[in-house]
Amino acid sequence: MLEIPRGTRDFTSAEMLIRRKIEENIRSTFLSYGYGEIQTPTFEHLELFTVKSGESIIQELYDFKDKGGRHLTLRPELTAPVMRCYVEKLQMEPKPLKLFYFGNCFRYDRPQKGRYREFWQAGCELIGANTPEAHAELITLAYTILKNMGLQNIHLNIGNLTILQAVFQKFGISPLDQKKLLPFLDKAQFEEVRRTLYDSNLPDTHVEQCISLLQTTDVNEIKKCLEDAPDIQEEITNMETILQLLQSVFHVPSVSIKLSIVRGLDYYKSLVFEIEAPVLGAEKQLCGGGVYDLIGLFGGTPVPTAGFAIGFDRSILALETEQYVFPQPRLDIFIIPVTEELIGKAFEIAGMLRNKGVTVDVDLLRRGIGKSLKYASSRNAQKVIIIGPNEIQNNVVTLRDMHSGNQKTIPIEEIMHYYTKS
Ligand code: HAM
């Protein structure tokens, strides 16, 4: 038997119904914040991703040569593609430019629950705005999308790579040791962070002070520690303003400072943020984003950029874990013509109902009423119309309610009338 490639999934109609409903919900939230949708190709030149991250990123990509010898890759994310598109054709657009996307991404990851080789991201890029309110609104949008999807329990963490760098400098941690620390910080493995700091010959008091700062949720602690570093004061003030806006203006209830956010991608600087669903355990990060620079690197005129992407598949997993009640596939009406002569009439009624937006199916197998009713029930039909030869002479049909099992004879116009009203 031929098997599906590792790390990919098929989606049944029941699953697609759920996915499309949630996708629709996400789109409408993006639109309500003034973002316009953008679509870029599924594959790009490999260089688009190596130019910032270097050749080492290739091991995480699905790269290939096409028949013309071009080195291409399936996109692992959409920020670099959107920035390429911006530089190619959108630079003259009025600012700020708000772009959102929904698309599949491919990463040569080790598959596990919540981590796939093909997955979907819903994300956005805010181009040409760098104020604290721009960033606070962006973060609120990410939070609101997840809330509007129906998630109950999510938490927002905000970090800042420039401030993290200043902390490293303050404690005299060498660039080499910083590099060792980042993966441990990323995974919140503070015992490993402590060991690395001790190994780097930092005095004991500095190690503990540094760890305390990396774990603090109190912006005042960070402020106090860096009060003698003038270069960083604006960054700290912006962070405070963003926090204050999130709490008092945008009413985001669950937000913490977390300096240990380092983000895996190489293009971030200053503000970074992540939203997690603690119910998910290991792969709990639903959203990641921040401020970054790519435009200059891609040959455009630099303007400030920030954005985020939400892992669509993980967000659905989180909803499932929270026992969210998903929509079920259903038919409004199933029509059973009792004799072959009535098949035309059945489709005529189906056509009229379908034109009104009613979901209708007609028995296509010329089965008896019993079998047809069983099938209608398996399709979660709400009502069944049985068209019999005697009734049709009088322009009436039998309408059966599939929940109660009650049946009544009604004129055909009445069905149309009922569905026009509702
Ligand atoms: P990212 O953190 O790499 O950021 O991915 C965003 C989200 O995609 C993650 O939080 C996670 O939910 C989901 N995700 C990542 N890898 C996988 C996977 N293998 N399987 C399932 N879900 C996954 C970015 O991609 C940036 N481009 C976000 C951004 C936009 N930054 C600025 N603008």
Side-chain angles (χ1 to χ4, degrees), residues 77-79 101 107 109 114-116 119 121 124-125 263 265 267-268 285-290 292 307-311 314:
E77 55 107 43
L78 281 111
T79 305
Y101 46 80
R107 293 186 190 178
D109 259 336
R115 199 198 295 161
Y116 312 98
F119 62 98
Q121 278 189 350
C124 68
E125 311 303 337
R263 309 278 303 126
L265 300 155
Y267 45 61
Y268 293 103
Q285 196 195 303
L286 300 185
C287 171
Y292 59 89
F308 64 80
I310 288 174
R314 264 184 217 177

Side-chain angles (χ1 to χ4, degrees), residues 172-174 177 180 194-203 207:
I173 301 168
S174 72
D177 286 325
K180 285 189 206 153
R194 180 173 278 113
R195 194 181 47 72
T196 312
L197 289 176
Y198 275 117
D199 286 352
S200 69
N201 293 326
L202 233 60
V207 172

Side-chain angles (χ1 to χ4, degrees), residues 353 356 358 413-422:
L353 287 166
K356 295 194 160 110
V358 185
E413 301 85 72
E414 215 168 276
I415 325 167
M416 304 301 164
H417 187 59
Y418 174 78
Y419 278 102
T420 310
K421 274 195 304 186
S422 59

